Amino acid sequence: LTINTTICAGYCMTRDVNGKLFLPKYALSQDVCTYRDFMYKTAEIPGCPRHVTPYFSYPVAISCKCGKCNTDYS
């Protein structure tokens, strides 16, 4: 079974600051291309034994944005 989906990935435009030694660590984090909106789709996996649930859910990106990662889902 092949599943094709759409994801958000990559780096966003950013600038490297000169005063890295003097900045707190949170100020140095890189913005990434991350999910603005997404939904889950479900596929049925053929050939599973009767005692196994044959469904697999996976995320599909609807739109993306540049920003910090939300560790709840990224």
Side-chain angles (χ1 to χ4, degrees), residues 10-31:
Y11 289 98
C12 297
M13 293 293 292
T14 188
R15 290 188 293 183
D16 194 16
V17 294
N18 289 328
K20 288 181 184 177
L21 296 175
F22 307 107
L23 292 174
K25 193 169 189 161
Y26 69 85
L28 299 175
S29 63
Q30 170 80 40
D31 280 351

Side-chain angles (χ1 to χ4, degrees), residues 3-5 8 10 12 18-19 36-37 39-40 44-46 52 55-60 62 67 74:
I3 296 175
N4 294 314
T5 187
C8 299
C12 297
N18 289 328
R36 180 185 316 267
D37 295 305
M39 61 183 245
Y40 282 94
E44 184 174 356
I45 301 170
V52 175
Y55 301 105
F56 175 73
S57 295
Y58 56 95
V60 177
I62 297 170
S74 292

